[in-house]
Amino acid sequence: MLVIIGGDAAGMSAASQVRRLQPATDILVFERGPHTSFSA
C-alpha cells in the first residue's frame, strides 16, 4: 500500500506513476482541502 500525504500535483504525479508501474498497488491519498489536482 502506498500512502500519499497531499493531493497536489506532486502527490498525484507520484500516484499515477505508481499506478502505471505497479497496477495492483493500493493507493491512499490524504488531502486536507476539498480538491485534489487533476494535472498529473
Side-chain angles (χ1 to χ4, degrees):
M1 173 177 270
L2 173 67
V3 177
I4 296 176
I5 309 298
D8 61 356
M12 294 296 97
S13 292
S16 66
Q17 183 72 12
V18 169
R19 178 63 68 213
R20 282 191 293 272
L21 295 174
Q22 299 177 4
T25 301
D26 291 326
I27 300 171
L28 179 63
V29 177
F30 288 101
E31 171 58 39
R32 82 174 130 176
H35 305 291
T36 59
S37 173
F38 292 102
S39 63

